[in-house]
Amino acid sequence: GERGGGGGGAGKTGDLDLLRDGWFSEVNDEMWPGQAMSVRVTRTLSEVRSKYQDVRVYETQAMGNMLVLDGVIQCTERDEFAYHEMMVHVPMLAHARPERVLVVGGGDGGSLREVARHECVREIVLCELDEAVIEASKAHLPQLAAGFADERVTVVVEDAAEYVKRKRSHFDVVVVDASDPIGPANVLFERPFYTALHDALRPGGLMSAQGECMWLHAELIADIAASCRALGFRHVHYAWFSIPTYPSGTIGMLVCQKRHGDAGVDVDADRHAPTTPLRDAPATWPLQYYTRAIHAAAFVLPAFLERRLAAGATDA
């Protein structure tokens, strides 16, 4: 699971001591000015300056091991299941039979682990820009990196914005497990990328995209939702869920579905919105957050966000 990245700005975090008196504080004046999440660190497990960003793994007192990119928390062992289960199982279980799945970003392997639970899937591609993230996870986040062990997984180390341009009508589900729209992931929040994603999906295909925090980024959420509607996605919905180590304790995702039929023409299957699942998660899956009820509940939005989304894009 990835969000954040670019937090310190390129090069800056390498010069900063991110720890003060044993506490890591996620200070970021661009993405969440005036507030910060703090976690007590018991030791530093790894620090790497990759080609793209500062990659660190800390052992923490309360949250297990924690991955930090450019000073921004990506995931912790304690709460990562909430993000990965929702990002993956909402679009996957709203699809009748997903066979080909793409995970964009997600170099920690958490999204892969959840996709691999689905037996109907035949091909799983992970497109991650930074190999250092994959290596850090394999070394220090085994419960997430377990996702790489599945034989259906192919890892592509490349800029996803370039990779998806080569795929036309190929994937049933795309999970955009991306970091925030600053730093190396910025391109993943821009319209050409969403256009390429729409084209890379098969008819009826679904996309979930990391959608930031409604308490902080309602304007950005409204803009991306408006862009996805303009691109011709049949369904565009926002869902949110609780996760303690993300800013304000919540994160959201945009869930978009491509038409089954030709552009502008509905077929029966298009009437089903991804806000309710078509399939159930088997009781044997050891899930800790996702349920059929929470799938639907996640799309119920507070009044302020509902109003903001109804108003459309900022510049509309």
Side-chain angles (χ1 to χ4, degrees), residues 29-101:
D29 293 332
E30 189 173 353
M31 288 300 291
W32 38 92
Q35 67 180 69
M37 173 74 183
S38 295
V39 180
R40 187 182 277 283
V41 168
T42 44
R43 64 187 173 126
T44 300
L45 296 174
S46 86
E47 290 182 50
V48 177
R49 178 83 217 171
S50 81
K51 260 191 303 193
Y52 304 101
Q53 58 203 341
D54 180 274
V55 180
R56 303 191 187 196
V57 184
Y58 296 113
E59 178 188 86
T60 73
Q61 180 183 322
M63 294 292 169
N65 291 353
M66 176 173 80
L67 174 67
V68 174
L69 299 183
D70 278 351
V72 176
I73 299 167
Q74 302 302 299
C75 57
T76 80
E77 290 180 314
R78 166 76 181 83
D79 63 3
E80 55 85 10
F81 62 81
Y83 175 81
H84 293 122
E85 289 180 17
M86 292 298 284
M87 283 286 291
V88 169
H89 301 312
V90 169
M92 293 288 288
L93 294 172
H95 193 290
R97 189 177 172 82
E99 293 182 346
R100 298 180 191 158
V101 181

Side-chain angles (χ1 to χ4, degrees), residues 1 27 39 61 78 119 123 168 187 196 260-261 286 310:
V27 176
V39 180
Q61 180 183 322
R78 166 76 181 83
E119 289 179 6
E123 176 192 14
R168 289 282 167 137
V187 66
H260 289 77

Side-chain angles (χ1 to χ4, degrees), residues 33 35 38 59 62 106 112 147 149 163 179 212 266 277 284 296 307:
Q35 67 180 69
S38 295
E59 178 188 86
L112 286 182
Y163 174 80
S179 34
E212 298 300 338
D266 262 8
T284 51
R307 278 196 292 269

